[in-house]
Amino acid sequence: MALTNGGAATPAPASGGSNLVLILDYGSQYTHLITRRIRQLSVLSLCISGTAPLSAITALSPKAVILSGGPHSVHLPSAPSFPDGFLSYVQENGVHVLGICYGMQLLVQKLGGVVDVGEKQEYGKMEIEVQKESALYAADEVGGHQTVWMSHGDEAVKLPPGFEVVARSTQGAVAGIEDRKRHFYGLQYHPEVTHSTKGMETLHRFLFDVCGLSADWKMQDVLEEEIKTIHSMVGPNDHVICALSGGVDSTVAATLVHKAIGDRLHCVFVDNGLLRYKERERVMSTFESDLHLPVTCIDASEQFLTALKDKEDPEMKRKIIGREFIAVFDDFARNLEKQLGKRPEFLVQGTLYPDVIESCPPPGSGRTHSHTIKSHHNVGGLPKDMKLKLIEPLKLLFKDEVRKLGSILNVPESFLKRHPFPGPGLAVRVIGDVTKGDALDTLRQADEIFVQAIKDAGLYDEIWQAFAVFPSVASVGVQGDQRTHAYVVALRAITSEDGMTADWYYFDHKFLIAVSNKITNSVKAVNRVVLDITSKPPATVEWE
């Protein structure tokens, strides 16, 4: 993996080579789960737009290509498709192709078959029957049923020449097809989701038995490759600034870059006035005592809060925070220039793959059939005229992979297990104007009580992320035999593997009662506590 000097992701599978699986993304919410599932099997996988030019595909020399699902119908003129010449390229080079859901229908249509609106739409958990031994299904699976996750309204009603049906849904729809001679395969369901009970077995067969791939992709390879990439970007006399947030991502990124260039890395921790309870003191202590990173702490809280005054729109708040961060970094760079006699050229950020996915179409796309969920704090909030060039060594990794990389770099385990914290900080947890009243202090107190209670109960490592939210809504209550009109605080705790999808954590009722009582008794401005029980999707992790 590599990054160009502008921060644009350019997958370079030096560590995977011909062992690369390339996913062409057609907009499914599960596309990047495919990427993760394949990596979990120790095979390098990368994801680019399904409409990327043929040159982008051939440059990567994949051993296998997976066409993802998507919300489109192949009947529509605007339906996204792989580039001209793709089918010829994969056949001439012996590349195996697996179409999933929309991807299967696209294969069928482009190879001369027929896809039509299904008589019965199939969504959610469904049963399929394996009809014959094939490349995708073992002999002992024939005649058996599997629970799978379906999400389609169209179906293949006529297969192209050379294809055969190997599985059908119990409603009769085609569920699995293959043309072994030309290395084309298709699944109408999503094997990558946990609801497909034998999905990982099917992917395993496709990768290793069908494609002949090797399970040889390791985090050590990623570390060595990223160090080479940093050396190629940063000259022997260049200096680099790293924005440390106190979270896992920026810390691992800083440690990696420090390993590559040593003391030419200059770390800065910015107190933007949007930090958690005593976060500044706790983080700086960890940097100095455990990580031994040279860090300058800058108190820019007044600067940020002044810029955010009266701003309520979440996208506007993110943009302002991104702008102010860059202004602080530019000022820090100017001061460094005076000390070093040379201006730093680069800025390190701990951007992850999910950050990129949620902020824009997948790497290298330029497509229009993907929708931005939100401008991410590490991506969408940066001004176009930023003078510093970005280094984002984690940009194609998921959170669990970053933690593995951090372990190799000897980042303390206690630090690696910290819950994620958003770059905009509490600005995305106070709905509306963050400077209004005592919103920030109220939120800090409630959040500290909630998170500490989780730690005391021994639940912290079971939860992906836990925090309090200040909805800026007041409610009527009774406290001390008096009628009150105070604020509501919402609690959110989720479980997840990578932050792409999440479920809410099921607390014991006694725990919730104790936390609610402590917040309403300890935080004067709060008289009501509610629990967010929404999964992702439909919600995102943060409220803004």
Side-chain angles (χ1 to χ4, degrees):
M1 297 179 298
L3 292 174
T4 62
N5 279 6
T10 306
S15 60
S18 61
N19 215 36
L20 170 70
V21 177
L22 183 65
I23 294 101
L24 299 187
D25 178 16
Y26 293 104
S28 168
Q29 63 178 313
Y30 304 119
T31 296
H32 302 284
L33 189 55
I34 304 172
T35 311
R36 276 190 45 74
R37 295 293 183 238
I38 294 171
R39 292 186 187 188
Q40 286 173 354
L41 295 170
S42 298
V43 175
L44 175 61
S45 59
L46 295 171
C47 179
I48 65 173
S49 168
T51 58
L54 185 62
S55 58
I57 298 171
T58 60
L60 294 169
S61 300
K63 186 70 176 288
V65 174
I66 295 180
L67 310 176
S68 86
H72 317 282
S73 172
V74 295
H75 311 298
L76 300 178
S78 59
S81 178
F82 41 70
D84 292 339
F86 170 77
L87 294 174
S88 298
Y89 166 75
V90 295
Q91 290 181 77
E92 290 168 4
N93 291 274
V95 179
H96 296 78
V97 179
L98 172 64
I100 293 176
C101 197
Y102 175 84
M104 186 193 91
Q105 295 172 5
L106 191 59
L107 262 185
V108 168
Q109 184 199 54
K110 294 298 182 181
L111 288 167
V114 178
V115 177
D116 207 345
V117 177
E119 291 184 8
K120 295 181 179 179
Q121 297 181 338
E122 296 180 317
Y123 295 101
K125 287 184 180 181
M126 303 290 294
E127 293 287 316
I128 65 165
E129 180 183 351
V130 177
Q131 297 193 324
K132 61 173 61 178
E133 182 182 356
S134 63
L136 297 176
Y137 302 107
D140 61 2
E141 294 179 280
V142 177
H145 285 217
Q146 296 182 15
T147 300
V148 301
W149 189 259
M150 292 281 198
S151 183
H152 69 98
D154 295 344
E155 64 177 278
V157 295
K158 180 182 178 183
L159 297 186
F163 276 86
E164 61 177 344
V165 178
V166 295
R168 286 186 181 275
S169 74
T170 52
Q171 294 191 137
V174 172
I177 61 174
E178 60 181 53
D179 178 345
R180 290 198 225 188
K181 185 176 180 180
R182 291 188 291 175
H183 305 310
F184 291 131
Y185 307 86
L187 297 171
Q188 186 57 72
Y189 60 92
H190 290 273
E192 68 276 16
V193 303
T194 54
H195 300 298
S196 295
T197 54
K198 291 192 174 182
M200 283 298 284
E201 293 177 31
T202 304
L203 286 176
H204 189 281
R205 285 180 63 85
F206 175 71
L207 295 176
F208 302 114
D209 299 340
V210 175
C211 303
L213 298 174
S214 301
D216 61 0
W217 185 68
K218 304 291 186 292
M219 273 298 113
Q220 184 64 43
D221 297 333
V222 175
L223 172 61
E224 293 169 2
E225 187 175 332
E226 286 301 336
I227 288 175
K228 289 178 184 177
T229 301
I230 293 165
H231 284 157
S232 69
M233 292 176 63
V234 181
N237 297 313
D238 288 339
H239 288 259
V240 178
I241 293 173
C242 181
L244 284 174
S245 67
V248 175
D249 308 334
S250 63
T251 301
V252 172
T255 305
L256 193 159
V257 174
H258 189 259
K259 183 178 179 66
I261 66 171
D263 292 341
R264 290 183 290 129
L265 173 70
H266 307 273
C267 298
V268 56
F269 177 77
V270 179
D271 183 349
N272 59 4
L274 303 166
L275 302 178
R276 288 171 290 194
Y277 182 78
K278 292 189 177 179
E279 180 81 353
R280 174 176 169 179
E281 296 89 337
R282 292 169 177 173
V283 165
M284 288 302 295
S285 175
T286 300
F287 287 151
E288 293 169 5
S289 61
D290 296 332
L291 299 174
H292 309 295
L293 287 172
V295 183
T296 299
C297 181
I298 297 176
D299 185 352
S301 53
E302 185 176 347
Q303 175 181 334
F304 277 80
L305 296 179
T306 298
L308 288 167
K309 186 174 176 55
D310 298 327
K311 302 299 188 298
E312 297 187 352
D313 179 71
E315 280 295 295
M316 176 63 71
K317 289 194 290 185
R318 287 176 178 271
K319 297 289 186 182
I320 289 171
I321 291 166
R323 182 192 70 202
E324 295 305 320
F325 266 126
I326 296 304
V328 171
F329 299 147
D330 279 339
D331 188 51
F332 180 65
R334 281 191 293 270
N335 291 332
L336 270 179
E337 182 178 14
K338 294 176 182 177
Q339 299 174 28
L340 303 171
K342 182 179 180 65
R343 184 179 178 84
E345 296 285 335
F346 299 91
L347 172 66
V348 178
Q349 282 204 142
T351 309
L352 303 191
Y353 209 2
D355 302 341
V356 179
I357 295 163
E358 289 193 345
S359 299
C360 59
S365 74
R367 65 177 178 151
T368 58
H369 60 275
S370 176
H371 301 284
T372 298
I373 298 173
K374 60 188 178 185
S375 294
H376 198 273
H377 50 273
N378 279 348
V379 184
L382 301 181
K384 294 179 181 179
D385 60 349
M386 184 179 73
K387 299 179 178 64
L388 296 166
K389 301 171 187 176
L390 282 181
I391 298 175
E392 296 175 296
L394 313 178
K395 195 170 185 177
L396 295 179
L397 297 181
F398 292 91
K399 176 73 76 172
D400 62 321
E401 295 169 336
V402 171
R403 288 185 168 123
K404 290 177 184 176
L405 188 61
S407 181
I408 294 173
L409 288 164
N410 296 318
V411 175
E413 185 178 3
S414 60
F415 203 89
L416 292 175
K417 288 184 176 180
R418 294 193 81 197
H419 288 180
F421 185 63
L426 299 182
V428 294
R429 295 179 180 174
V430 172
I431 308 306
D433 184 1
V434 301
T435 67
K436 192 172 182 179
D438 295 324
L440 287 169
D441 285 339
T442 299
L443 177 57
R444 285 190 185 101
Q445 294 175 57
D447 183 79
E448 176 69 9
I449 291 170
F450 181 39
V451 174
Q452 189 58 51
I454 288 172
K455 291 178 179 178
D456 293 342
L459 302 176
Y460 191 78
D461 292 345
E462 296 181 19
I463 297 171
W464 173 270
Q465 199 168 352
F467 54 91
V469 178
F470 189 82
S472 299
V473 173
S475 73
V476 175
V478 178
Q479 291 172 294
D481 295 327
Q482 292 183 343
R483 180 184 175 92
T484 62
H485 194 244
Y487 286 102
V488 177
V489 163
L491 306 181
R492 182 146 172 78
I494 59 166
T495 58
S496 179
E497 289 186 358
D498 51 29
M500 293 299 298
T501 59
D503 195 9
W504 56 282
Y505 185 81
Y506 292 65
F507 286 109
D508 180 83
H509 284 186
K510 291 181 180 179
F511 173 87
L512 292 174
I513 292 169
V515 170
S516 176
N517 286 341
K518 189 165 185 179
I519 290 175
T520 53
N521 288 332
S522 305
V523 186
K524 292 181 180 180
V526 176
N527 68 359
R528 190 180 301 269
V529 177
V530 298
L531 180 67
D532 183 345
I533 57 169
T534 319
S535 62
K536 175 187 179 181
T540 54
V541 175
E542 300 291 345
W543 278 38
E544 287 194 339

